[in-house]
Amino acid sequence: MFPVRGTVFYQAQRAWEAGWLPPEVPLLLIREPTNAYDPHAVQVWLLRPRVLLGYVPRELAPVVGWQLRHHQIQTCQLDHTLGLTRPGLRCRLQTNDSWQTTWVRRFWSFYQAWSKWRHPIRCRDRQPH
């Protein structure tokens, strides 16, 4: 689940006021590699009517873009809206985890252990207090 960024700059307000954003409404994710500010940018669109709501957060865009490129995302739905005067949208992705083979899981656990050993201060700062 992730928040949709940039809703203030696109048509999310209009869609929210018109009542087009009920829970569980399907959304469309489109990669935008020609974006001048972020080559990993992923747009979030409402299907009917076709309205640009915003973008996937910059820190998640490379992962979501990879999943889109490799057909790993099964569905993207609006989870809920927050806010009284303007929408705060949160999306939920359902992915196909078949790419998580035993080798990938082992590599990932090795990488996490190595990064804790290599950067103990940064890893310690990331833990909740």
Side-chain angles (χ1 to χ4, degrees):
M1 191 161 44
F2 62 88
V4 178
R5 300 285 187 217
T7 56
V8 176
F9 305 108
Y10 302 101
Q11 293 92 13
Q13 181 74 31
R14 188 181 89 190
W16 187 61
E17 290 170 354
W20 297 336
L21 298 174
E24 309 279 324
V25 68
L27 301 173
L28 178 65
L29 299 176
I30 299 177
R31 291 180 36 235
E32 188 184 11
T34 58
N35 187 311
Y37 301 104
D38 183 8
H40 302 289
V42 178
Q43 299 175 337
V44 179
W45 288 82
L46 183 64
L47 290 173
R48 289 193 176 95
R50 183 66 66 101
V51 174
L52 177 60
L53 298 175
Y55 283 83
V56 172
R58 184 180 296 243
E59 58 274 6
L60 297 177
V63 174
V64 174
W66 183 90
Q67 290 174 332
L68 282 170
R69 232 180 8 259
H70 295 284
H71 309 287
Q72 296 295 317
I73 295 179
Q74 293 176 347
T75 61
C76 179
Q77 295 177 331
L78 183 66
D79 189 54
H80 63 277
T81 59
L82 303 170
L84 299 173
T85 58
R86 68 177 193 195
L89 308 177
R90 295 186 68 82
C91 294
R92 183 177 57 239
L93 291 178
Q94 184 177 3
T95 60
N96 177 5
D97 293 334
S98 63
W99 62 275
Q100 291 185 346
T101 61
T102 304
W103 183 87
V104 172
R105 279 190 231 113
R106 285 183 185 161
F107 175 78
W108 183 247
S109 63
F110 169 78
Y111 175 77
Q112 287 177 324
W114 176 82
S115 65
K116 286 179 184 177
W117 172 78
R118 181 82 171 106
H119 306 290
I121 294 173
R122 273 194 267 165
C123 292
R124 187 178 66 229
D125 292 343
R126 290 183 195 162
Q127 296 174 355
H129 299 286

